[in-house]
């Protein structure tokens, strides 16, 4: 029996619902974020309406009743800052803060090594996507329970072209998804994909690509346009506008 078949057979034994699972979250916060130009601060530590970007991200996962543990993959020189933030913000689910590696792929694997042996599903999320919501996380989690692997994504609304030599060709945008995070996987599935990629020396651009390379189907879940990644200075302006809009809707 193939590895794919073995994992799919495990799905038939599942109890439907993310609340019935032990869910681990890995928050990837090991970058520098030089494009964000944050006056000497890394983008994950830069304040967004007075709160560090990474603290906003962790707070959302902390508030999800179905997330049982959070592992942060951080820059080594920033690890002491998490002890301070844990006191300031009262986090209870952050069980480990580990130093990242030279690549995102290596960093996630370091975080993965710290998850609980009880873990059924692993939620991998970029710290810079601090506008993620509980609903987005839950929607992707539910899809992963049913299918084994799922990612937050948004359908392309612009016309997408690809370069072939000196000419351009147009893709069918109805079939194009823009990948986001969280990306959620059965823990055993992710373990197989990650160590297979490590063994083969495969270089991937996101975690879903590892699962796809191993033959697993990854389901995209529409999470809209607000789940942006803080990358450039203008993204802070956009993020503040989104947060202010959300706050005004709550207070109205």
């Amino acid at each position: 029996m193939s590895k794919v078949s073995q994992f799919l057979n495990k799905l038939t034994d599942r109890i439907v619902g993310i609340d019935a699972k032990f869910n681990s979250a890995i928050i990837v916060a090991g970058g520098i974020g030089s494009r964000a130009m944050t006056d000497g601060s890394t983008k994950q530590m830069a304040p967004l309406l007075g709160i560090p970007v990474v603290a906003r991200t962790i707070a959302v996962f902390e508030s999800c009743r179905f997330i049982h543990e959070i592992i942060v993959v951080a820059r080594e020189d920033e690890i002491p800052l998490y002890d301070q933030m844990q006191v300031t913000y009262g986090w209870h689910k952050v069980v480990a803060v580990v130093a990242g590696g030279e690549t995102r792929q290596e960093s996630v694997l370091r975080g993965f090594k710290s998850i609980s042996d009880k873990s059924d599903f692993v939620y991998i999320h970029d710290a810079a996507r601090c506008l993620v919501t509980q609903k987005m996380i839950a929607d992707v989690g539910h899809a992963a329970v049913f299918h084994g692997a799922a990612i937050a994504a948004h359908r392309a609304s612009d016309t997408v072209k690809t370069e072939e030599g000196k000419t351009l060709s147009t893709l069918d945008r109805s079939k194009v998804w823009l990948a986001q995070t969280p990306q959620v996987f059965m823990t055993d599935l992710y373990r197989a994909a990650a160590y297979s990629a490590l063994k083969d020396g495969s270089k991937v651009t996101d975690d879903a690509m590892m699962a796809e390379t191993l033959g697993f189907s990854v389901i995209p879940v529409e999470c809209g346009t607000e789940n942006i990644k803080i990358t450039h200075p203008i993204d802070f302006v956009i993020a503040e506008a989104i947060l202010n809009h959300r706050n005004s809707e709550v207070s109205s």
Side-chain angles (χ1 to χ4, degrees), residues 54-192:
V54 66
R56 287 188 173 276
T57 302
I58 293 172
V60 180
F61 281 84
E62 176 84 19
S63 66
C64 292
R65 69 181 186 282
F66 52 88
I67 296 295
H68 297 89
E69 64 176 2
I70 299 170
I71 293 87
V72 181
V73 184
R75 285 173 53 89
E76 189 166 8
D77 61 335
E78 291 182 341
I79 289 178
L81 299 178
Y82 288 90
D83 290 334
Q84 300 170 21
M85 288 191 288
Q86 190 146 7
V87 173
T88 300
Y89 300 109
W91 299 330
H92 298 290
K93 296 180 181 179
V94 177
V95 298
V97 180
V98 302
E102 294 185 1
T103 65
R104 184 185 186 282
Q105 187 175 349
E106 183 182 347
S107 293
V108 176
L109 186 56
R110 288 189 180 187
F112 184 78
K113 290 177 180 178
S114 294
I115 66 174
S116 169
D117 292 339
K118 297 184 292 184
S119 180
D120 295 309
F121 284 82
V122 58
Y123 291 58
I124 301 169
H125 188 69
D126 293 327
R129 291 190 187 273
C130 59
L131 299 183
V132 70
T133 65
Q134 289 185 38
K135 184 178 186 305
M136 294 175 193
I137 298 168
D139 286 347
V140 181
H142 281 298
V145 169
F146 277 94
H147 301 284
I151 65 170
H154 177 57
R155 283 192 183 276
S157 56
D158 295 330
T159 297
V160 181
K161 294 184 180 290
T162 181
E163 185 177 5
E164 298 177 3
K166 295 183 178 180
T167 63
L168 296 176
S169 61
T170 304
L171 301 178
D172 181 355
R173 70 183 182 189
S174 68
K175 297 180 180 179
V176 175
W177 289 85
L178 307 180
Q180 303 174 354
T181 63
Q183 300 192 355
V184 184
F185 309 87
M186 286 179 60
T187 301
D188 287 345
L189 184 160
Y190 186 82
R191 181 178 291 107

Side-chain angles (χ1 to χ4, degrees), residues 191-202:
R191 181 178 291 107
Y195 283 100
S196 177
L198 184 65
K199 179 181 178 181
D200 297 340
S202 301

